[in-house]
Amino acid sequence: MSKIPPKRTLPSKETTLFKELLTLYETRLLKKALKTADLILKKFPEHGETMCMKGLVLTHMGRREEGIELVKNGVRLDLTSHICWHVFGLIQKGEKKYEEALKSYTQALRFDKENLNILRDAAHLQTQLRIYDGLVDTRHTLLKLRPTLRQHWVALAVAHHLNGNLHEANKILTHYQKSLKNVTDYDVDHSETLLYHIRVLEELGEFSEALAMLDTNAKSRSIVDRTAIMEYRARLLSKIGSDEAEHAWRILVEHNPDCYDYYRGYLSNQGVEMGQESPKALAALKDFSSQIPKAMASKRLALSISSGSEFKELVVSYLSSGLNKGIPSLFADIKALYEDPTKRQTIEEVVESLREQFTPDPSTPPDSSEPTTYLWTLYFLAQHYSYISKHDHAISVLNLAISHTPTLPELHTCKARVLKRAGDLFGAVRCLDEARLLDGQDRFLNTKSAKYRLRAGFIEEASDILGLFTKKDASSPGTDLEDMQSLLYLMEEANAHYRNGKLNLALKKYTAIHKIFNEIEDDQYDFHGYSMRRFTINIYLNLLKWENQLRSHPAYISAAIAASRIYIAVYDNPALAASQSSSTQLTDAEKKAKKKAKKAAQKVQEDPKKGTPAPNHEDKGLEVTPSKDEDPEGSKLLEASDPLEQAAKLLHPLSMLNTNNIEVWVTIFDVALRRKKFLQAVKALNRARAIDPEHPELHICLVDFHQAASSLSQPPPSPIGPVFMDIKTTLFPDNLSIETFNSQYLQRHSTSAPAILASARVLQKLKAPPEEIDDTVFLTLKEDVVLDLKVAITAVEYLVSVKSTRAEEYRAACDTRFHLSTVFKTPEELKALQQKALKNQIDSTEGGEVLPES
């Protein structure tokens, strides 16, 4: 052991005080700990370890800046103390600086290689950062120091498993189980360890050995999870091709006849994958249906693998049963079958015939069917026609249903959905308000109403509805919903601001979504220790796998793409940020909401003063407390000096995922091209081409790439240069002009509206005459072109952005074509519709709205 530095040496009295300081900190007697540290520092002001401990105590007491400064000074005074580095690591970990914290722990371990606390914390950080090589070494050291602790054996096996060394994990678990003695009955920890060992053997392909272990420990009751035993047994028997597998899957189906995975396992064992038609599989599902009549899963799966007259027979029974029971989610259950046009047509014919059958006839006495059966049949048909874009027919059916039973909220919500799809957002808001007023205490209806208000641009009105169910002491409903990590609210409000042209507020909400995913990622840290202590290993491994794919969540993808688009727009036009910041004019509703939020915030600040003040020595933890938001309007975010770098940070997690979302790779390309990161741009292009080589956005990207590459004065330097030029030739042959490339693309996709619009945008990049661009866009209005509402809106916005003289003509044509839509109305008409919708909302609120219970 190295000699203790003179500065660290303390007399016996102060040494006792220092040990007492450590104990006081561990028991969180912070006030006494602070006094003890001051006593030592009074005599030895340059004692680094005491100074670090005082800084740690002060940080816990909420005096963070003062505490961190003391810790840094303490480390400088004693660079060879494991206590100083450990404390510094704790501070950095509290600030979520995991890489820096691990460096500090590594330094601490240089001077105290066998400190269990430091080793444990280092292992958790290595898992958090996915540094599995180092994790194996750390866990091995912990096992050598404490070989009698079961969790150290299992933790080392998990470390090898995560590092991809399943054979070593198997060896450790085998050795661990041989060394066990006197295991008590129904030991849940031991049961979980055995199940984990079986999982390792299964992943290794040792199916027979895994099955033998499972049967042995199931008979001895060492494994207590009976469902897990049945699931592992059925799966393992299938993998070894045993005749007992079919019986094992049948037992599972009888155990839980509504679990789709069990049916899939049963069919897979027979060599039938879902979606494949198989008489044998269909007979088996019919057999299950007859044995377990109340189970719906077998009947639903039979619809997926049947066809023709057999499908019609099954679907009649399935739909009749669902309509008689009045199942509102029946359409959502079977709409996956609509991928097959034949099945879709069959379903329409069946339900229309049922409608005729259930229609009440005043001239004849009522039959045995309930009056609600007819109502649910109309509800199903309305959803059906809306799904296949027959919105007029859907609305006529819904009007009939509402006249039959005007008090059913589902009918009004369905009508709102139909109007939304047809482009009438104001009508959708009105219908949702009618549904909401039927049951004012229903959170779903109120949330749905607020969501539709946001989509119609009524942000403050939506906030009023959401405020019925948020904390009353919150500064605003939005603040509380953000604290509750409501992704639905944040996405909808961000999109509403984006559509309203308020890019700063939209960016603020998109950034809030990014922070939520960072918090979810940070939250896994506590489970690295907890799961090892509680032996919940299989669930823990599933958690790590899920966390690795966290950013594939649709909310993060949408927010990252939208925020990146804003940053790209600001980079292309820096005046955009200045214009957003300068437009401080607020509407009356916004002024009212701002005043209300300010008043609520003041009330929140005043409330603590009324009670007993919190003691100064209260433990506030090491995590950084959220500071006051200095940029509530998002102006500073929009005015960032490096918008492309900010966009790249948001997109980086998505570039690490194997996502099939082509918009992700197009956005990554746009950012990389502007950053002059040509290899990243090429990689994104290749990934996009692998997904859909004819995608309209990819067509534009290829033209952008060709123009950027052609504008280079010289090729990029080696080794990038030769690779770049080879890929450039592959993506865009040298003997092909952009004009020819664009013309050929338009010819190939002459009936696709998105492709025609992409071709027009390329013509703009080529500085074609405005008349040619307009003529190309107007091709989308031809009868043989498939033009949907979303593309039509994009086309109008594009014509307006290029200041086309025919923009009004195109808008009027779309208004005629999409007669139910309000988005193509003139500004005057839109203003009148907006005021009418707002008046309806005010009238409904004053009309005696039922408030939620307190």
Side-chain angles (χ1 to χ4, degrees):
M1 184 180 288
S2 60
K3 187 178 178 181
I4 299 175
K7 279 187 178 181
R8 195 187 305 164
T9 307
L10 291 173
S12 59
K13 181 182 177 181
E14 280 68 25
T15 301
T16 305
L17 283 173
F18 185 75
K19 290 178 181 177
E20 183 183 342
L21 169 61
L22 296 175
T23 305
L24 290 170
Y25 168 74
E26 289 171 359
T27 54
R28 293 300 185 268
L29 297 172
L30 302 178
K31 193 173 181 181
K32 289 183 179 179
L34 184 59
K35 287 182 179 179
T36 305
D38 285 336
L39 285 174
I40 300 172
L41 291 172
K42 190 175 182 180
K43 290 186 178 180
F44 300 92
E46 293 190 353
H47 190 251
E49 292 181 343
T50 305
M51 191 176 290
C52 283
M53 287 305 301
K54 181 181 178 180
L56 186 61
V57 170
L58 287 173
T59 305
H60 272 278
M61 294 172 70
R63 296 156 64 180
R64 172 168 291 275
E65 292 182 5
E66 184 183 352
I68 291 175
E69 190 60 35
L70 279 173
V71 171
K72 289 180 178 178
N73 290 335
V75 172
R76 291 190 195 102
L77 290 169
D78 196 346
L79 291 170
T80 59
S81 166
H82 73 276
I83 291 178
C84 291
W85 285 108
H86 189 189
V87 169
F88 195 31
L90 288 171
I91 295 290
Q92 291 167 321
K93 186 179 73 176
E95 294 177 337
K96 313 296 184 189
K97 297 177 181 177
Y98 298 121
E99 294 90 348
E100 299 300 319
L102 183 57
K103 290 177 184 177
S104 296
Y105 281 124
T106 305
Q107 283 291 101
L109 289 171
R110 285 181 57 197
F111 309 113
D112 188 359
K113 293 181 174 61
E114 298 184 354
N115 189 301
L116 289 173
N117 289 330
I118 300 175
L119 284 166
R120 256 195 307 269
D121 283 350
H124 298 164
L125 285 168
Q126 286 164 336
T127 311
Q128 181 78 7
L129 297 170
R130 306 297 191 261
I131 305 174
Y132 296 135
D133 290 339
L135 177 65
V136 169
D137 296 335
T138 306
R139 288 296 185 189
H140 195 266
T141 304
L142 280 166
L143 179 61
K144 286 195 294 184
L145 293 173
R146 290 287 181 87
T148 55
L149 278 180
R150 291 195 297 179
Q151 71 182 60
H152 287 171
W153 287 90
V154 177
L156 179 57
V158 170
H160 280 295
H161 188 169
L162 293 172
N163 198 35
N165 193 345
L166 289 170
H167 289 283
E168 197 64 32
N170 181 35
K171 285 181 186 177
I172 291 163
L173 289 169
T174 303
H175 191 277
Y176 158 73
Q177 286 165 25
K178 288 179 180 177
S179 64
L180 285 177
K181 295 179 181 178
N182 303 323
V183 178
T184 59
D185 292 336
Y186 298 101
D187 186 332
V188 176
D189 295 349
H190 182 54
S191 171
E192 287 293 320
T193 307
L194 289 170
L195 285 173
Y196 170 57
H197 194 176
I198 293 167
R199 174 175 177 167
V200 170
L201 289 170
E202 183 181 6
E203 291 185 17
L204 274 170
E206 304 286 346
F207 305 129
S208 300
E209 188 179 344
L211 183 62
M213 176 181 282
L214 179 70
D215 288 341
T216 301
N217 289 286
K219 289 175 184 176
S220 65
R221 297 185 181 275
S222 295
I223 301 176
V224 297
D225 189 340
R226 310 313 295 176
T227 302
I229 290 172
M230 290 190 287
E231 289 177 348
Y232 271 105
R233 194 165 194 279
R235 198 162 60 243
L236 291 169
L237 285 169
S238 291
K239 289 180 177 179
I240 63 176
S242 172
D243 295 335
E244 299 177 41
E246 182 177 345
H247 178 64
W249 284 112
R250 278 189 172 272
I251 292 173
L252 273 174
V253 170
E254 291 167 5
H255 176 69
N256 182 2
D258 289 317
C259 180
Y260 281 67
D261 287 338
Y262 295 164
Y263 291 101
R264 291 191 183 101
Y266 178 85
L267 296 176
S268 178
N269 181 63
Q270 295 186 337
V272 178
E273 296 298 327
M274 287 310 301
Q276 295 179 0
E277 295 182 12
S278 168
K280 184 179 178 182
L282 189 58
L285 289 171
K286 286 182 177 179
D287 184 36
F288 281 126
S289 298
S290 60
Q291 290 178 13
I292 316 170
K294 291 185 178 181
M296 299 299 292
S298 56
K299 298 173 183 176
R300 171 62 186 83
L301 287 171
L303 296 177
S304 297
I305 61 174
S306 60
S307 61
S309 58
E310 208 156 22
F311 171 77
K312 186 171 184 178
E313 180 185 344
L314 291 170
V315 83
V316 167
S317 172
Y318 191 82
L319 292 174
S320 300
S321 172
L323 294 172
N324 281 315
K325 291 176 182 177
I327 301 174
S329 60
L330 181 61
F331 179 77
D333 179 26
I334 66 121
K335 70 180 180 182
L337 299 171
Y338 279 39
E339 292 180 5
D340 185 340
T342 306
K343 289 184 177 181
R344 182 179 65 202
Q345 184 61 32
T346 302
I347 290 169
E348 181 178 325
E349 293 170 358
V350 167
V351 181
E352 283 289 2
S353 66
L354 289 173
R355 174 188 180 181
E356 293 177 9
Q357 178 184 334
F358 297 141
T359 301
D361 187 353
S363 62
T364 58
D367 60 9
S368 59
S369 64
E370 293 287 334
T372 55
T373 306
Y374 172 64
L375 182 65
W376 291 115
T377 305
L378 294 176
Y379 179 63
F380 183 97
L381 277 172
Q383 294 178 89
H384 163 79
Y385 287 121
S386 174
Y387 191 79
I388 61 176
S389 299
K390 293 183 179 180
H391 303 305
D392 290 294
H393 202 162
I395 288 174
S396 65
V397 171
L398 280 168
N399 288 336
L400 183 62
I402 291 171
S403 66
H404 181 280
T405 307
T407 56
L408 185 65
E410 281 85 350
L411 297 177
H412 297 281
T413 57
C414 182
K415 188 174 181 181
R417 191 180 309 117
V418 174
L419 289 172
K420 178 205 71 174
R421 288 174 178 170
D424 184 4
L425 297 177
F426 301 124
V429 169
R430 183 184 66 251
C431 291
L432 246 303
D433 265 347
E434 291 172 1
R436 183 176 69 86
L437 294 174
L438 292 172
D439 187 357
Q441 296 184 21
D442 190 307
R443 290 194 179 211
F444 170 77
L445 292 176
N446 279 278
T447 302
K448 200 77 171 173
S449 177
K451 176 181 174 181
Y452 273 52
R453 290 185 185 204
L454 286 170
R455 289 186 174 180
F458 302 135
I459 297 174
E460 301 307 328
E461 291 74 17
S463 182
D464 291 339
I465 294 294
L466 294 169
L468 296 172
F469 296 95
T470 54
K471 290 180 181 178
K472 302 304 175 187
D473 58 350
S475 59
S476 69
T479 303
D480 184 44
L481 288 167
E482 189 172 329
D483 291 340
M484 297 297 290
Q485 299 183 339
S486 174
L487 295 174
L488 179 143
Y489 158 75
L490 289 170
M491 275 302 303
E492 292 296 341
E493 181 165 341
N495 292 339
H497 285 307
Y498 193 94
R499 287 189 295 268
N500 289 346
K502 297 183 178 179
L503 301 183
N504 53 327
L505 293 174
L507 191 57
K508 184 73 176 176
K509 294 301 179 185
Y510 290 135
T511 306
I513 294 172
H514 174 65
K515 289 178 181 176
I516 285 173
F517 280 88
N518 286 342
E519 289 171 11
I520 295 172
E521 192 172 31
D522 291 335
D523 288 343
Q524 69 175 303
Y525 183 87
D526 295 331
F527 291 95
H528 301 320
Y530 172 84
S531 297
M532 292 300 104
R533 291 195 307 272
R534 305 300 298 174
F535 289 87
T536 55
I537 310 156
N538 286 309
I539 296 298
Y540 172 64
L541 290 173
N542 294 341
L543 167 70
L544 294 183
K545 184 178 179 181
W546 179 81
E547 287 280 0
N548 291 339
Q549 298 293 319
L550 176 64
R551 296 306 202 289
S552 63
H553 191 284
Y556 182 84
I557 292 175
S558 299
I561 291 173
S564 299
R565 289 292 174 199
I566 293 174
Y567 281 126
I568 290 170
V570 171
Y571 175 81
D572 291 343
N573 182 15
L576 197 62
S579 64
Q580 290 282 324
S581 303
S582 62
S583 60
T584 55
Q585 184 125 16
L586 300 175
T587 63
D588 292 338
E590 288 170 335
K591 288 177 182 176
K592 183 180 176 182
K594 197 169 183 180
K595 186 177 179 181
K596 184 179 176 182
K598 187 176 180 181
K599 191 175 180 181
Q602 288 175 348
K603 186 179 178 183
V604 171
Q605 291 174 356
E606 291 169 3
D607 280 348
K609 297 176 184 177
K610 297 177 183 178
T612 306
N616 197 34
H617 58 277
E618 181 184 348
D619 186 7
K620 294 179 175 60
L622 287 175
E623 292 191 5
V624 181
T625 54
S627 57
K628 183 183 176 182
D629 190 358
E630 300 293 340
D631 185 27
E633 302 296 320
S635 300
K636 293 180 181 177
L637 281 173
L638 197 65
E639 295 171 355
S641 58
D642 53 348
L644 291 182
E645 297 303 319
Q646 298 300 323
K649 286 178 184 177
L650 292 171
L651 295 170
H652 177 70
L654 298 180
S655 67
M656 307 301 290
L657 298 173
N658 189 23
T659 178
N660 286 325
N661 188 328
I662 196 167
E663 286 187 39
V664 170
W665 298 109
V666 167
T667 310
I668 290 173
F669 166 81
D670 286 338
V671 173
L673 193 66
R674 287 165 174 79
R675 294 175 68 213
K676 309 298 183 187
K677 304 288 185 182
F678 293 113
L679 283 185
Q680 287 182 16
V682 167
K683 180 183 176 183
L685 275 182
N686 284 330
R687 294 298 297 270
R689 287 181 73 208
I691 297 169
D692 183 0
E694 296 293 322
H695 194 277
E697 290 296 327
L698 177 59
H699 175 66
I700 299 170
C701 290
L702 287 169
V703 173
D704 286 340
F705 176 73
H706 183 272
Q707 289 183 327
S710 301
S711 65
L712 293 175
S713 57
Q714 57 183 11
S718 183
I720 297 173
V723 177
F724 174 77
M725 296 309 294
D726 288 345
I727 296 174
K728 173 182 173 292
T729 305
T730 304
L731 292 173
F732 208 113
D734 291 333
N735 59 354
L736 188 67
S737 68
I738 298 179
E739 289 81 3
T740 306
F741 177 73
N742 191 45
S743 176
Q744 290 176 352
Y745 181 79
L746 182 59
Q747 289 173 7
R748 289 199 305 272
H749 304 283
S750 58
T751 59
S752 169
I756 294 171
L757 192 56
S759 181
R761 290 170 62 187
V762 170
L763 287 174
Q764 183 197 0
K765 293 176 183 293
L766 296 175
K767 298 184 172 21
E771 295 78 12
E772 186 179 353
I773 297 173
D774 291 346
D775 291 342
T776 304
V777 173
F778 270 76
L779 291 175
T780 58
L781 297 176
K782 291 171 65 178
E783 290 184 3
D784 60 335
V785 175
V786 181
L787 177 66
D788 61 22
L789 184 68
K790 186 177 178 181
V791 178
I793 293 171
T794 306
V796 170
E797 291 174 348
Y798 173 71
L799 288 173
V800 171
S801 67
V802 298
K803 299 179 181 178
S804 170
T805 56
R806 300 180 66 188
E808 181 61 25
E809 180 187 346
Y810 190 89
R811 181 205 60 75
C814 289
D815 189 34
T816 305
R817 186 162 183 167
F818 301 96
H819 63 279
L820 289 175
S821 174
T822 59
V823 294
F824 300 111
K825 301 297 180 185
T826 63
E828 294 77 16
E829 291 173 325
L830 281 173
K831 188 174 182 180
L833 288 168
Q834 190 176 28
Q835 289 175 348
K836 183 181 177 182
L838 283 171
K839 185 177 182 299
N840 288 336
Q841 292 175 43
I842 294 169
D843 292 343
S844 67
T845 306
E846 292 174 351
E849 181 179 337
V850 183
L851 294 177
E853 295 176 351
S854 57

